C-alpha cells in the first residue's frame, strides 16, 4: 500500500543556527523588489509601445498569458528561460531587459 505524501509546513522566516537572526526569502529583499519593479515597468512600456495585448505578447514569447500578467504586475518570479523568451519578443537580451537606465 503506497504511503501518503508528507505535508510540508509553511514558514515565513527562517533562523540561522549560528546567529539566531531571521533571514529574508530572496523575494523579500530590496534587490529582488527593485529588479521586479524594473522588469514590470519595462515589459508594460515595451508591450504598449508595440501595441500588443498581453495575449499577443505571451503567445510570441511562448508563455502563458497569466505568466505575462504576473510579470507586469510585480507578482512574477521568472526563470532565466522565461526572461530570455520575453526579451526575444522585443529583440533584446536579458541584460537589456533588466537594465534600469
Amino acid at each position: 500500500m503506497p504511503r501518503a505524501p508528507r505535508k510540508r509546513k509553511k514558514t515565513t522566516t527562517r533562523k540561522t543556527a549560528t546567529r539566531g537572526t531571521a533571514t529574508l526569502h530572496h523575494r523579500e529583499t530590496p534587490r529582488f523588489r527593485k529588479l521586479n519593479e524594473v522588469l514590470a515597468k519595462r515589459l508594460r512600456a515595451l508591450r504598449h509601445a508595440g501595441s500588443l495585448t498581453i495575449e499577443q505578447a505571451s503567445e510570441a514569447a511562448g508563455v502563458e498569458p497569466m505568466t505575462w500578467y504576473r510579470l507586469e504586475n510585480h507578482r512574477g518570479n521568472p526563470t532565466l528561460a522565461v526572461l530570455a523568451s520575453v526579451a526575444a519578443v522585443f529583440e533584446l537580451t536579458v541584460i537589456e531587459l533588466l537594465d534600469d537606465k
Side-chain angles (χ1 to χ4, degrees):
M1 180 171 186
R3 288 185 359 191
R6 290 177 33 173
K7 291 185 179 181
R8 297 172 71 188
K9 294 180 183 179
K10 288 190 175 184
T11 58
T12 54
T13 59
R14 296 181 186 192
K15 296 196 176 205
T16 58
T18 56
R19 289 189 276 153
T21 59
T23 58
L24 294 176
H25 187 275
H26 72 275
R27 284 182 243 152
E28 298 168 347
T29 62
R31 185 175 186 183
F32 180 84
R33 284 195 298 262
K34 171 88 170 142
L35 274 174
N36 209 357
E37 182 180 332
V38 166
L39 177 63
K41 286 180 180 178
R42 177 60 76 74
L43 281 183
R44 186 167 296 195
L46 288 168
R47 184 175 61 80
H48 286 169
S51 300
L52 297 171
T53 64
I54 287 178
E55 289 77 18
Q56 292 168 330
S58 64
E59 185 175 327
V63 299
E64 293 292 322
M66 186 53 78
T67 299
W68 195 285
Y69 172 84
R70 287 182 182 127
L71 292 174
E72 281 193 13
N73 289 282
H74 307 274
R75 294 188 177 101
N77 188 13
T79 63
L80 183 56
V82 169
L83 285 175
S85 297
V86 168
V89 171
F90 304 109
E91 299 178 356
L92 298 171
T93 65
V94 173
I95 292 171
E96 291 168 333
L97 184 64
L98 295 175
D99 190 14
D100 62 345
K101 296 178 183 175

